[in-house]
Amino acid sequence: CFCPVIIYGKSGVGKSHLLRASEKLIRSNYSENNILYITAEVFCRKFISSIQECKYREFKQEYRNLGVFIIDYIQDLSGKEVKCKGFGYMFDELYDNNVAILLSMDREIYSSELTERLCSRLSRGVMIEIGVNG
């Protein structure tokens, strides 16, 4: 299994469209899978809010039954160690539970400002660069 699958490329090349199309295709072919598409920004807001409101257990439960986790704009975690840590914990749990993880970002993992630990986790999978020819 190639997990995670990371799609990266410059802004405007269609990464988000590709993630949304993947989500739609997966939903149409595997309706029994619990699929979540979310942006990194929304994920972070939910994560921080769950801690502030002492609802982290409920937050984790929301992700526990996923079959496919799709997260867009992962570069939004760059330079935000606490948020990277939160995502890293969730990533580990999902990875250990064989959840398919599909991510997008605007550059390669190691040229981002993500923490070294998160970069190491993400590099377990496959990276696909997309771009515009011409």
Side-chain angles (χ1 to χ4, degrees):
C1 173
F2 298 108
C3 187
V5 173
I6 301 169
I7 299 168
Y8 73 97
K10 294 181 180 179
S11 180
V13 296
K15 299 177 301 292
S16 295
H17 293 291
L18 188 56
L19 290 185
R20 285 298 198 173
S22 298
E23 175 194 18
K24 186 175 182 179
L25 180 66
I26 294 166
R27 282 190 193 283
S28 68
N29 290 311
Y30 303 99
S31 59
E32 73 279 355
N33 273 346
N34 211 358
I35 302 162
L36 175 65
Y37 168 93
I38 194 167
T39 64
E41 180 183 340
V42 171
F43 175 87
C44 289
R45 273 192 270 139
K46 286 182 162 194
F47 170 69
I48 297 296
S49 175
S50 74
I51 292 171
Q52 291 172 341
E53 297 171 11
C54 299
K55 294 183 178 181
Y56 183 68
R57 182 174 287 153
E58 291 89 344
F59 173 80
K60 279 181 59 171
Q61 189 62 38
E62 183 181 341
Y63 294 84
R64 183 160 282 141
N65 298 319
L66 289 178
V68 180
F69 181 54
I70 303 171
I71 186 162
D72 207 355
Y73 305 109
I74 199 72
Q75 72 272 0
D76 289 350
L77 298 176
S78 295
K80 300 171 180 158
E81 191 167 339
V82 170
K83 292 176 182 178
C84 281
K85 224 178 240 190
F87 177 75
Y89 293 143
M90 185 61 64
F91 177 89
D92 285 345
E93 188 166 330
L94 296 174
Y95 182 87
D96 291 343
N97 289 322
N98 296 313
V99 173
I101 302 170
L102 180 59
L103 309 159
S104 80
M105 57 192 308
D106 62 0
R107 63 194 75 132
E108 289 185 65
I109 295 171
Y110 288 105
S111 64
S112 70
E113 294 178 22
L114 299 174
T115 63
E116 186 176 330
R117 186 174 185 152
L118 184 55
C119 287
S120 176
R121 288 176 171 131
L122 296 178
S123 68
R124 296 174 183 168
V126 63
M127 294 193 338
I128 303 165
E129 181 177 17
I130 62 171
V132 177
N133 291 331

